[in-house]
Amino acid sequence: QRVHEEGFAAALYLPWAFHRIATAMGWEHFALKIYDDMDFLHGAFDWVEERVRAAVREVVIPAGPDVVLFDGDCAYKNGLMVRPDTFRELTCERTRGTVEILREADIPYTFHSDGKVDDFITMLIELGFAGVHGIEAQANDLAEVKDRWGADITLMGNMDVVFLSKATTEQVRQATEKMLHTGCPGGRYIAACNTSPLDYIPHENYLAMAEVIREFRY
């Protein structure tokens, strides 16, 4: 409410079962459970998703955000953390049940993951996600992602935070221009960092990126 009073759009972050369970268990234990005890994982995923749905009904919808972002890291630089069929088995229908509540409330929902998007972006489109954040530059070719899926889902991100922390200001300006010229044609692109920008990024570099974005005209 305070964000809206200041004239800004408000986003609320929600946990996503895959990221929460895999991170809480640790990757080795998670991988072993996939082979030895899928029933346990199904129960754990249900436990998280049921509580996310309760949060949507009791907190998110009454608060009236402009958009919801699911925190869903699920991929490495070369692909999903698990086999695509296992990934869909654990996530697809459970996520569908959660986002249907948001859709009925007319609240757009988006998704964040680091890594390569190829194996999960089609599921996001199928489930009606308005956008996907990350498009990590070290794992994805923005032009290719834009060409394949840019008409179906809004792409957000792509500026590498490590690059921002090490490059010169002029290099940042040039890279931001290139990113914008690649992502903006046809619309459905929001320029941003590929993950949370923290205080290891020099202020002058972050501000240079922001200035180029603000002044860009395609």
Side-chain angles (χ1 to χ4, degrees):
Q1 289 170 348
R2 290 181 63 186
V3 168
H4 280 156
E5 288 168 4
E6 294 296 328
F8 293 99
L12 282 179
Y13 287 64
L14 284 173
W16 192 58
F18 184 97
H19 184 31
R20 285 296 181 266
I21 295 299
T23 303
M25 292 180 64
W27 292 113
E28 182 176 357
H29 292 140
F30 183 71
L32 290 171
K33 285 293 186 185
I34 288 174
Y35 282 98
D36 298 334
D37 195 357
M38 280 290 283
D39 287 343
F40 174 87
L41 291 182
H42 281 295
F45 273 60
D46 283 340
W47 190 91
V48 171
E49 215 62 43
E50 287 166 4
R51 283 150 182 79
V52 171
R53 291 171 194 168
V56 169
R57 292 188 182 100
E58 297 172 23
V59 179
V60 174
I61 292 175
D66 297 284
V67 65
V68 163
L69 176 65
F70 286 88
D71 181 18
D73 281 343
C74 59
Y76 296 120
K77 287 181 173 58
N78 60 349
L80 285 173
M81 295 174 178
V82 298
R83 286 177 15 169
D85 58 341
T86 300
F87 176 79
R88 288 187 70 94
E89 177 184 347
L90 287 169
T91 64
C92 188
E93 293 309 311
R94 290 183 175 91
T95 303
R96 190 188 307 277
T98 302
V99 299
E100 281 177 354
I101 306 170
L102 290 166
R103 187 185 300 116
E104 290 171 1
D106 199 28
I107 298 174
Y109 45 95
T110 59
F111 187 87
H112 164 80
S113 179
D114 297 336
K116 193 168 181 62
V117 304
D118 293 41
D119 290 323
F120 65 82
I121 194 171
T122 52
M123 189 184 84
L124 300 181
I125 294 169
E126 173 189 333
L127 295 176
F129 278 80
V132 56
H133 175 262
I135 322 297
E136 184 179 353
Q138 294 186 31
N140 303 278
D141 181 333
L142 178 59
E144 179 185 354
V145 175
K146 178 76 176 183
D147 183 61
R148 295 178 67 182
W149 298 292
D152 301 313
I153 191 168
T154 297
L155 307 177
M156 301 178 283
N158 192 240
M159 176 55 72
D160 186 83
V161 292
V162 176
F163 170 79
L164 272 184
S165 71
K166 298 179 180 296
T168 65
T169 302
E170 183 55 33
Q171 287 172 329
V172 169
R173 289 181 177 278
Q174 292 174 4
T176 305
E177 285 270 1
K178 180 180 178 182
M179 178 179 71
L180 290 164
H181 279 290
T182 303
C184 286
R188 302 206 71 167
Y189 177 67
I190 299 173
C193 293
N194 66 324
T195 191
S196 301
L198 302 176
D199 58 6
Y200 51 74
I201 297 173
H203 290 179
E204 60 271 19
N205 281 4
Y206 189 84
L207 292 174
M209 178 189 71
E211 182 181 3
V212 172
I213 293 170
R214 184 175 61 249
E215 296 179 353
F216 183 77
R217 298 292 182 272
Y218 178 74

